[in-house]
Structures are given as C-alpha cells and as structure tokens.
Amino acid sequence: FLTFTEGDFSARDFVWSHMLSAFADENILFGIGQNKYFNIAYNFSFASDDGISPHNVFIETFLYTGIVGLIAYIIFIYNNIKLSFSILKSRNNLIPLFFVTVIIGLSLSSQIFEQKLPWILMSYIITSNIVSSNAVKN
C-alpha cells in the first residue's frame, strides 16, 4: 500500500541499485553466478544473517545468469502465459491463468527459486496443456 501511496519500496530500490551496481563490472552476458550473488547479498550493509534479497526474481535471474538466463526465464514465463490462454480457450479452464498470475506476482515481489509452490503451479499448467492436447488427439 505504501508503495502506491507514498512511493515507499521498503528500501528495495536501494537493494536493487546496490545489487545491480555490484554487477556492473561483471559478465553481463552470463551473470555472476549464485555463489558471487550470495557473497554480495551477505555483505550488504544492513543484511541479516540470511543476507538480503531484492524480492524480484527477474533481477535475481539477471544477476545469476546474465542476459542469456533472463531471456530464457522470460521465454519460459511467456510460454506458461501462452499455455494458460490456450487451455482457457480450448477447455474453458481458468485455473492455469489464475496460477500464472500468481507466479508473475511472486516473481515481481518475492522469491520462487527456493519455494516449491510456484514450480508446482507451473508444472500444473504444462501438464494441463499435455492432457488437453492428448484429449484433442483422441
């Protein structure tokens, strides 16, 4: 709420700029990898024992894997969105579209790499598409 009313990002904008500036001297094409990312996160000025997180999967993916990995992740998310709409049109099933909305929300505001639920939701979308494709063939 404070983000929308007062522009308060709870210091996330500071974390984003620090993480991205630490990345400036590195390999922008392939990223810095998870180990170097964690090193930066744990040595952050106000990090807790768990380090600091930008709470944005797109930024983390860019830092981990560079432009190549970010493009691959965006294509993966785009394909999930496309599959969700396809399932909605072919089977009139709104659940995959709801799930992909949750995944995008979590990607922009939280973590999904270490959680199981977003990956279960994505596997549901992919599996639903396979099931609907097999139903059409038969």
Side-chain angles (χ1 to χ4, degrees), residues 28-121:
I28 195 166
L29 192 59
F30 295 108
I32 60 176
Q34 193 175 29
N35 289 340
K36 190 159 189 173
Y37 170 83
F38 283 143
N39 189 30
I40 293 168
Y42 285 109
N43 293 323
F44 198 72
S45 59
F46 57 86
S48 66
D49 291 340
D50 297 332
I52 194 77
S53 170
H55 294 289
N56 186 311
V57 174
F58 296 100
I59 292 174
E60 283 190 61
T61 303
F62 177 65
L63 292 170
Y64 286 165
T65 61
I67 292 173
V68 172
L70 180 62
I71 290 171
Y73 182 71
I74 289 171
I75 289 170
F76 180 69
I77 294 295
Y78 170 76
N79 284 334
N80 274 286
I81 294 168
K82 197 167 114 179
L83 286 175
S84 298
F85 277 110
S86 172
I87 293 166
L88 177 64
K89 286 174 69 176
S90 67
R91 296 182 59 202
N92 208 17
N93 184 354
L94 190 60
I95 294 173
L97 190 59
F98 172 73
F99 285 171
V100 83
T101 305
V102 170
I103 293 164
I104 291 170
L106 288 173
S107 292
L108 292 172
S109 65
S110 184
Q111 297 286 336
I112 70 166
F113 290 135
E114 297 170 4
Q115 298 175 0
K116 292 177 179 71
L117 180 63
W119 299 102
I120 292 169
L121 298 179

